[in-house]
Amino acid sequence: MSEYHKIAEKLSLPSKILIGGAWRDAASGATFATLDPATGRTLAHLPACAAEDVDAAVASARAAFRAGVWSDLHPSARKAVLARLADLIEDNVTELAVMEALDAGKPITDCLTIDVPETANCIRWHGEAQDKLYDQIAPSAPDALGLIVREPIGVVVAVLPWNFPLMMMAWKIGPALATGNSVIVKPAKETSLTALRLGELALEAGVPPGVLNIVTGMGPDVGEPLGRHPDVDALTFTGSTETGRRFLTYAAQSNMKEVCLEMGGKSAAVVLEDARDIPKIAEIQAGAIFWNMGENCTANSRIIAHHSVYDALIDELAKQAKTWVIGDPLDPKTQNGPLVSDDHFAKVSGLVETGKAQGARLVTGGEPGEGLSFQPTIFADVTPDMTIFREEIFGPVVTVTRADSDDHAVELANDSAYGLAATLYTSDVRTAHRVARRLHAGTVSVNSYSEGEISTPFGGMKESGFGGRDNGIHAHEQYTELKTIWFDLA
């Protein structure tokens, strides 16, 4: 038994929602179980909220916003509170990491070294940025003054995915709180525990009651009422394209609230003819698809390789897949834990079987592991007419497609309804610049797999994104309203 198992046994897990600074049950008293995907055991019973709880959370957020307890604070004062919250996250890094590993099946080493530290970094970064941003003065005549200012938009709803619960919460609440808004968080039903714990730390850091509210439950019971609520000013969502479309519909049918969507992906890695060091490329690409069990919207799930490097790349990628360590999420040696749920496991398994049936060549993997784990899987000779070339699998499954030329590789990469991210391998910097511009994706990494960093905007094109970006200063824009104030000085 590792030290993390001992910590897990002693964890005090959240069991109530946060509304108006108070911890409470759902109005109906209903609950649902959140499970450990590694063992199937029930971790906790959480409030199954409904429209009445949504109304209470929105009323609380609106009251706090109107009172100005947060929205009217000097940006430096908000920065100080967010800095304290970041410090508290770092002080509780092990507890949060173990809770995340239990709830989501994520490897403890990733939680300790990536998810929790980046959560703190994100919140601190946005807080630090806010008192360094300036509004503008229009170039008017001497007898007039035009101020161009940004004001907090009001009540913001953040609907989170289950693959990076803490990090995605930080990506949403960091800029939304920094700009002075009140926020309601709806975590994924599969992974609500760390969101609730982060709410406890926010109150401890000094976020005023009502400024951060957290409601748990099912999408139709909580997500839809939030999307349709007439007193919500903006909604930010990370998750499937199908659900993102629903939120656009809800906004259109209610109060035309601002909507920012980061949705699905089928990200391509393009390996051009002049690419060098194929073993290193294979190592990078193994991480790009197998990391986090492939449950990552930017995962390079499609590799498009020039025919001259195609066979060598597949051979090296197969070697990498066989080294991937699957096991107990609380074991520091584990690289991949289980998939997040029975339903998701069935989806991944079904798409793998579809790939086999449609004639893709199975190079390695393709079978379940123990419990809900799934072996790293490589399909070769995949063509654009196959389902696994087009549909997001969201598991440790990569397809490899042969390109006749570099131009053909770019054409294949862009042959997708999605446009979240892409990777490009070439040894010529001029080619890198030209081809990166041609790839239809919100983020293009060259000779690496990367989503950028906190200072660079993140989001997608086509069916991968709508209405704004996470990360960077650009993320502040979707949580503010642009206003012109005109003075006649004559």
Side-chain angles (χ1 to χ4, degrees):
M1 178 182 290
S2 75
E3 62 176 300
Y4 303 110
H5 288 92
K6 296 175 183 177
I7 293 170
E9 289 179 350
K10 298 177 181 178
L11 277 181
S12 177
L13 299 176
S15 61
K16 296 183 183 295
I17 55 172
L18 176 62
I19 297 179
W23 296 96
R24 53 196 274 185
D25 296 320
S28 68
T31 64
F32 67 98
T34 185
L35 307 178
D36 177 352
T39 65
R41 72 183 179 93
T42 297
L43 294 170
H45 288 91
L46 300 178
C49 296
E52 186 176 351
D53 305 291
V54 166
D55 289 342
V58 174
S60 170
R62 178 62 65 191
F65 184 74
R66 285 177 176 158
V69 293
W70 183 255
S71 56
D72 289 345
L73 285 183
H74 192 284
S76 294
R78 294 199 296 266
K79 176 182 73 173
V81 174
L82 293 177
R84 286 197 292 273
L85 175 54
D87 289 342
L88 287 170
I89 293 168
E90 291 172 342
D91 291 344
N92 292 274
V93 60
T94 304
E95 176 200 354
L96 287 166
V98 171
M99 197 178 294
E100 191 94 319
L102 284 175
D103 209 18
K106 297 170 68 72
I108 185 64
T109 300
D110 288 350
C111 295
L112 285 167
T113 60
I114 301 171
D115 294 60
V116 182
E118 284 303 312
T119 297
N121 178 55
C122 177
I123 289 172
R124 178 176 284 111
W125 191 92
H126 285 291
E128 284 285 354
Q130 190 57 33
D131 66 354
K132 300 168 184 65
L133 300 175
Y134 291 80
D135 290 325
Q136 298 169 308
I137 298 177
S140 56
D143 60 354
L145 175 65
L147 301 182
I148 303 168
V149 300
R150 286 196 173 274
E151 298 177 346
I153 198 167
V155 174
V156 175
V157 166
V159 182
L160 308 181
W162 44 255
N163 57 335
F164 290 95
L166 271 173
M167 284 176 62
M168 293 301 98
M169 184 169 174
W171 281 22
K172 309 299 187 185
I173 71 170
L177 290 176
T179 48
N181 298 284
S182 295
V183 182
I184 302 163
V185 173
K186 192 276 180 201
K189 68 180 187 299
E190 296 88 350
T191 54
S192 299
L193 293 178
T194 50
L196 294 168
R197 179 64 178 125
L198 195 55
E200 294 176 352
L201 296 178
L203 291 177
E204 185 179 344
V207 175
V211 171
L212 180 62
N213 306 273
I214 304 170
V215 287
T216 57
M218 309 303 126
D221 301 325
V222 182
E224 182 173 347
L226 285 168
R228 293 186 181 278
H229 205 288
D231 206 23
V232 168
D233 300 297
L235 184 144
T236 175
F237 165 75
T238 294
S240 72
T241 299
E242 178 185 3
T243 303
R245 283 195 179 98
R246 291 199 196 105
F247 281 120
L248 286 176
T249 301
Y250 301 155
Q253 292 174 345
S254 56
N255 63 335
M256 298 291 287
K257 59 180 63 66
E258 297 286 335
V259 177
C260 178
L261 306 174
E262 191 266 282
M263 299 175 288
K266 193 68 178 173
S267 301
V270 178
V271 186
L272 300 184
E273 182 179 14
D274 69 350
R276 300 291 179 264
D277 198 353
I278 298 303
K280 182 62 177 177
I281 292 173
E283 179 186 348
I284 294 171
Q285 287 311 121
I289 182 59
F290 303 140
W291 174 60
N292 203 56
M293 295 71 73
E295 296 170 339
N296 182 12
C297 2
T298 63
N300 285 154
S301 56
R302 293 184 301 148
I303 298 176
I304 317 294
H306 189 277
H307 64 86
S308 64
V309 299
Y310 180 83
D311 291 329
L313 179 60
I314 290 172
D315 289 344
E316 293 295 335
L317 196 59
K319 294 176 186 176
Q320 289 290 329
K322 292 171 183 176
T323 68
W324 215 257
V325 179
I326 304 173
D328 178 356
L330 293 180
D331 184 341
K333 297 186 180 67
T334 293
Q335 292 173 282
N336 266 8
L339 299 182
V340 74
S341 67
D342 289 324
D343 287 346
H344 188 59
F345 181 86
K347 176 196 170 186
V348 172
S349 301
L351 284 167
V352 167
E353 292 306 311
T354 297
K356 295 175 184 177
Q358 291 181 345
R361 174 164 60 93
L362 183 63
V363 177
T364 189
E367 299 293 336
E370 183 178 346
L372 296 182
S373 65
F374 205 91
Q375 296 178 7
T377 299
I378 303 168
F379 280 109
D381 303 339
V382 175
T383 55
D385 60 314
M386 294 180 182
T387 302
I388 57 173
F389 182 90
R390 302 213 163 267
E391 289 193 20
E392 184 176 37
I393 300 174
F394 223 60
V397 182
V398 64
T399 68
V400 190
T401 300
R402 187 191 307 267
D404 298 333
S405 66
D406 287 348
D407 285 341
H408 186 217
V410 174
E411 179 185 336
L412 288 167
N414 288 336
D415 184 13
S416 173
Y418 299 109
L420 187 56
T423 295
L424 172 65
Y425 291 98
T426 176
S427 60
D428 188 310
V429 68
R430 294 170 296 180
T431 299
H433 277 281
R434 289 196 302 268
V435 175
R437 292 278 188 169
R438 292 172 59 195
L439 291 170
H440 301 161
T443 298
V444 178
S445 55
V446 179
N447 293 330
S448 67
Y449 166 72
S450 176
E451 296 178 354
E453 61 173 21
I454 187 62
S455 64
T456 57
F458 177 84
M461 301 176 178
K462 301 189 280 188
E463 293 184 18
S464 288
F466 179 90
R469 291 291 189 266
D470 289 316
N471 291 344
I473 293 301
H474 302 79
H476 290 218
E477 296 175 6
Q478 61 223 22
Y479 303 116
T480 57
E481 289 280 22
L482 192 64
K483 177 185 284 187
T484 294
I485 304 175
W486 186 261
F487 292 86
D488 184 347
L489 304 179

